[in-house]
PDB file of all heavy atoms in Angstrom:
ATOM      1  N   PHE A 378     -16.479  23.772 -11.734  1.00  0.00           N
ATOM      2  CA  PHE A 378     -17.696  22.969 -11.907  1.00  0.00           C
ATOM      3  C   PHE A 378     -18.712  23.678 -12.794  1.00  0.00           C
ATOM      4  O   PHE A 378     -18.628  24.893 -13.026  1.00  0.00           O
ATOM      5  CB  PHE A 378     -18.309  22.635 -10.541  1.00  0.00           C
ATOM      6  CG  PHE A 378     -18.620  23.853  -9.703  1.00  0.00           C
ATOM      7  CD1 PHE A 378     -19.893  24.420  -9.718  1.00  0.00           C
ATOM      8  CD2 PHE A 378     -17.646  24.431  -8.905  1.00  0.00           C
ATOM      9  CE1 PHE A 378     -20.183  25.542  -8.958  1.00  0.00           C
ATOM     10  CE2 PHE A 378     -17.922  25.562  -8.138  1.00  0.00           C
ATOM     11  CZ  PHE A 378     -19.195  26.116  -8.163  1.00  0.00           C
ATOM     12  N   CYS A 379     -19.694  22.898 -13.239  1.00  0.00           N
ATOM     13  CA  CYS A 379     -20.751  23.436 -14.096  1.00  0.00           C
ATOM     14  C   CYS A 379     -21.735  24.215 -13.223  1.00  0.00           C
ATOM     15  O   CYS A 379     -22.268  23.669 -12.244  1.00  0.00           O
ATOM     16  CB  CYS A 379     -21.453  22.286 -14.813  1.00  0.00           C
ATOM     17  SG  CYS A 379     -22.934  22.805 -15.687  1.00  0.00           S
ATOM     18  N   PRO A 380     -22.029  25.487 -13.552  1.00  0.00           N
ATOM     19  CA  PRO A 380     -22.910  26.295 -12.708  1.00  0.00           C
ATOM     20  C   PRO A 380     -24.323  25.717 -12.613  1.00  0.00           C
ATOM     21  O   PRO A 380     -24.996  25.883 -11.594  1.00  0.00           O
ATOM     22  CB  PRO A 380     -22.942  27.662 -13.401  1.00  0.00           C
ATOM     23  CG  PRO A 380     -21.956  27.617 -14.497  1.00  0.00           C
ATOM     24  CD  PRO A 380     -21.505  26.214 -14.705  1.00  0.00           C
ATOM     25  N   ASP A 381     -24.779  25.017 -13.644  1.00  0.00           N
ATOM     26  CA  ASP A 381     -26.154  24.489 -13.621  1.00  0.00           C
ATOM     27  C   ASP A 381     -26.247  23.143 -12.917  1.00  0.00           C
ATOM     28  O   ASP A 381     -27.009  22.973 -11.974  1.00  0.00           O
ATOM     29  CB  ASP A 381     -26.686  24.334 -15.061  1.00  0.00           C
ATOM     30  CG  ASP A 381     -26.681  25.663 -15.790  1.00  0.00           C
ATOM     31  OD1 ASP A 381     -26.902  26.694 -15.110  1.00  0.00           O
ATOM     32  OD2 ASP A 381     -26.424  25.676 -17.009  1.00  0.00           O
ATOM     33  N   SER A 382     -25.452  22.191 -13.386  1.00  0.00           N
ATOM     34  CA  SER A 382     -25.602  20.819 -12.873  1.00  0.00           C
ATOM     35  C   SER A 382     -24.699  20.520 -11.686  1.00  0.00           C
ATOM     36  O   SER A 382     -24.901  19.535 -10.985  1.00  0.00           O
ATOM     37  CB  SER A 382     -25.267  19.824 -13.983  1.00  0.00           C
ATOM     38  OG  SER A 382     -23.906  19.977 -14.360  1.00  0.00           O
ATOM     39  N   GLY A 383     -23.678  21.329 -11.473  1.00  0.00           N
ATOM     40  CA  GLY A 383     -22.718  21.040 -10.413  1.00  0.00           C
ATOM     41  C   GLY A 383     -21.693  19.988 -10.805  1.00  0.00           C
ATOM     42  O   GLY A 383     -20.844  19.593  -9.989  1.00  0.00           O
ATOM     43  N   THR A 384     -21.739  19.515 -12.052  1.00  0.00           N
ATOM     44  CA  THR A 384     -20.741  18.539 -12.524  1.00  0.00           C
ATOM     45  C   THR A 384     -19.336  19.081 -12.278  1.00  0.00           C
ATOM     46  O   THR A 384     -19.038  20.235 -12.604  1.00  0.00           O
ATOM     47  CB  THR A 384     -20.920  18.309 -14.053  1.00  0.00           C
ATOM     48  OG1 THR A 384     -22.214  17.787 -14.251  1.00  0.00           O
ATOM     49  CG2 THR A 384     -19.878  17.355 -14.603  1.00  0.00           C
TER      50      THR A 384
END
Side-chain angles (χ1 to χ4, degrees):
F378 57 95
C379 171
D381 301 327
S382 63
T384 299

